[in-house]
Amino acid sequence: MIRYPYQRNPIIEEEKNISYSNRGMDFENAVNISNNYYREEDIAIIYKRPTPIHIVKVDYAHARIKDAYFEKQSTTDYNGIYKGRYIDFECKETKIKTSFSFHNISSHQIQHLEAVLRHNGIAFFLIYFSLLNEVYLLDAKYIVDKYEEKKRQSISYQEIKTYGTLVEQAYLPRLKYLDAVEKVYFNETSKSHN
Amino acid sequence: MIRYPYQRNPIIEEEKNISYSNRGMDFENAVNISNNYYREEDIAIIYKRPTPIHIVKVDYAHARIKDAYFEKQSTTDYNGIYKGRYIDFECKETKIKTSFSFHNISSHQIQHLEAVLRHNGIAFFLIYFSLLNEVYLLDAKYIVDKYEEKKRQSISYQEIKTYGTLVEQAYLPRLKYLDAVEKVYFNETSKSHN
């Protein structure tokens, strides 16, 4: 199925998400509606970058795009600002229960995350184990280091459980991933955004 | 003319820019190639947000977009990180020599910039007076304040000259706007990125 990356109705999406909750979560949508919540509550300003599109043909007379296709994101899916810090992260979903494969991470994304880390930004992955219904925040530096070991093709679930931080699922926000950001990057374990 | 927002060949674009320099600058392209330079030199990680596209029709069998149109940006054109600070800005071009009209700024953009300022990000406008061939950096707070006075519809060129900072034009980078950022937000007048 092709996803429409510019879906614009978070309320309907949210309802859909609730009624289908027993079938597992629409991860991307869960992140998007969490960002809407964080923005509306003025907690953080984080947006999904639109999926890049390669335009092949334009109908100039009517200002319409008549042929185009989705391109691979060369950076990450999300960026923005939280408590004065630049935030940049990528969301990945896996159906494997025992590990997270590097197969879906592009070298461009690794380079981008390394650059963000060099410039003192906060960079991480949100990894969704769909069959376990668990989301972990894992610092980008951990993945970048393992990725560049070359001999490795994946990180085990146990490693992620050990070095990552479990993201609490809730109603508002759907994914309380900024609580995990607090724990990892701001050392505040007691504060909760709810 | 419809602009292709995902133009991907900075080198060709740059050459075009040089050969056409006597006809005035392609402002958006000048900002983009400056960002490429800043990224390549590892000075800052700043990208243009893709123009949002509203997709009307998709050919699922071939994964092609068959009807779509450009939407208005609800945030700003550019964001990223510089020296650990979150950077967010909008580029505007005017053919009027005496003032910069608020006509092309949407209330969504003003709200977005206000939010960035509240969260301690660096937010500004780059304003290009094409007939004067001058680019100014003007802090977003200045524009937000004037915008919200309601009775005002524009800022005079003299005001921008007084409260803004002239951006030097060069070869690499084409627009040395981070030098202006240094002066305004980091208080370092002596350092130059060249």
Side-chain angles (χ1 to χ4, degrees):
Chain A
M1 193 192 102
I2 305 266
R3 281 175 193 273
Y4 290 84
Y6 305 100
Q7 189 62 261
R8 283 297 172 86
N9 202 327
I11 293 157
I12 288 169
E13 285 297 301
E14 195 171 342
E15 282 168 3
K16 194 184 82 183
N17 214 29
I18 293 160
S19 57
Y20 281 65
S21 59
N22 55 342
R23 297 196 206 168
M25 155 171 75
D26 177 341
F27 184 43
E28 183 181 308
N29 184 53
V31 175
N32 292 342
I33 61 172
S34 301
N35 285 335
N36 292 349
Y37 172 83
Y38 285 135
R39 282 202 308 274
E40 279 159 21
E41 295 296 314
D42 206 28
I43 293 163
I45 313 299
I46 295 165
Y47 282 94
K48 185 177 191 302
R49 289 185 171 101
T51 307
I53 285 167
H54 185 93
I55 295 165
V56 179
K57 196 173 136 195
V58 174
D59 170 1
Y60 290 98
H62 302 94
R64 303 286 276 219
I65 298 155
K66 298 315 275 180
D67 191 16
Y69 54 86
F70 295 109
E71 286 192 328
K72 252 195 170 167
Q73 186 69 266
S74 65
T75 60
T76 47
D77 280 343
Y78 297 88
N79 81 346
I81 185 168
Y82 173 61
K83 288 191 171 178
R85 295 287 303 277
Y86 176 80
I87 298 258
D88 198 303
F89 64 97
E90 179 68 16
C91 295
K92 296 288 185 193
E93 181 170 347
T94 179
K95 281 179 178 159
I96 300 163
K97 287 181 185 179
T98 52
S99 70
F100 170 67
S101 166
F102 292 159
H103 186 260
N104 282 320
I105 306 176
S106 74
S107 59
H108 279 114
Q109 289 184 325
I110 292 290
Q111 282 161 26
H112 173 73
L113 289 165
E114 281 182 309
V116 169
L117 291 169
R118 273 199 308 277
H119 289 267
N120 200 28
I122 292 173
F124 55 85
F125 282 79
L126 290 182
I127 300 169
Y128 177 46
F129 288 92
S130 59
L131 296 181
L132 304 170
N133 195 29
E134 291 176 356
V135 177
Y136 289 90
L137 181 152
L138 190 58
D139 185 46
K141 190 172 183 333
Y142 190 88
I143 293 196
V144 164
D145 288 350
K146 301 298 170 198
Y147 187 93
E148 290 183 345
E149 280 181 23
K150 302 289 182 196
K151 59 177 185 258
R152 295 192 54 157
Q153 303 289 316
S154 66
I155 302 180
S156 73
Y157 169 71
Q158 279 306 326
E159 238 179 312
I160 292 171
K161 222 173 150 69
T162 305
Y163 297 103
T165 302
L166 185 68
V167 174
E168 191 188 332
Q169 296 187 39
Y171 175 62
L172 282 173
R174 183 68 184 86
L175 290 174
K176 300 171 86 172
Y177 76 87
L178 286 181
D179 284 10
V181 167
E182 277 288 329
K183 284 180 201 167
V184 176
Y185 302 102
F186 293 85
N187 276 318
E188 291 182 34
T189 48
S190 57
K191 203 179 160 188
S192 172
H193 294 302
N194 198 355
Chain B
M1 193 193 101
I2 305 267
R3 281 173 195 275
Y4 290 83
Y6 304 102
Q7 190 62 261
R8 281 298 171 86
N9 202 326
I11 293 155
I12 288 170
E13 285 295 304
E14 195 171 341
E15 283 168 1
K16 193 184 83 184
N17 214 28
I18 293 160
S19 58
Y20 281 65
S21 60
N22 56 342
R23 298 195 204 169
M25 156 171 75
D26 177 341
F27 184 43
E28 185 181 307
N29 184 53
V31 175
N32 292 342
I33 61 173
S34 302
N35 285 336
N36 292 349
Y37 172 84
Y38 286 136
R39 282 202 307 274
E40 280 157 19
E41 296 296 315
D42 206 28
I43 293 163
I45 312 299
I46 295 166
Y47 282 94
K48 186 177 189 303
R49 290 186 171 101
T51 306
I53 284 167
H54 185 93
I55 295 166
V56 179
K57 197 173 135 194
V58 174
D59 170 1
Y60 290 97
H62 303 94
R64 303 286 278 216
I65 299 156
K66 298 315 275 180
D67 190 17
Y69 54 87
F70 295 110
E71 285 191 329
K72 255 198 168 162
Q73 187 68 269
S74 66
T75 59
T76 48
D77 281 341
Y78 297 88
N79 81 345
I81 185 167
Y82 173 62
K83 289 191 171 178
R85 296 286 304 278
Y86 175 81
I87 297 260
D88 198 303
F89 65 96
E90 179 68 16
C91 295
K92 296 288 184 191
E93 180 170 347
T94 178
K95 282 181 178 155
I96 299 164
K97 288 181 184 179
T98 52
S99 70
F100 170 67
S101 167
F102 292 159
H103 187 261
N104 282 320
I105 307 177
S106 74
S107 59
H108 280 114
Q109 290 184 323
I110 292 291
Q111 282 161 27
H112 173 72
L113 289 165
E114 282 182 309
V116 170
L117 292 169
R118 273 198 308 277
H119 289 267
N120 199 28
I122 291 174
F124 55 85
F125 283 79
L126 290 182
I127 301 169
Y128 177 46
F129 288 92
S130 59
L131 297 181
L132 304 170
N133 195 30
E134 290 176 357
V135 177
Y136 289 90
L137 181 152
L138 191 58
D139 185 46
K141 190 173 183 332
Y142 190 88
I143 293 196
V144 164
D145 287 350
K146 301 300 171 198
Y147 187 93
E148 290 182 344
E149 280 181 23
K150 301 290 183 195
K151 58 178 186 258
R152 295 191 55 157
Q153 303 289 318
S154 66
I155 302 179
S156 73
Y157 168 72
Q158 279 307 326
E159 239 178 311
I160 292 171
K161 221 172 149 69
T162 305
Y163 297 105
T165 302
L166 186 67
V167 173
E168 190 189 333
Q169 296 187 39
Y171 175 61
L172 282 174
R174 183 68 185 86
L175 290 174
K176 300 172 85 172
Y177 77 87
L178 286 181
D179 284 10
V181 167
E182 278 288 328
K183 283 181 201 168
V184 175
Y185 301 101
F186 294 84
N187 274 320
E188 290 180 35
T189 49
S190 58
K191 202 178 163 191
S192 172
H193 293 300
N194 199 356

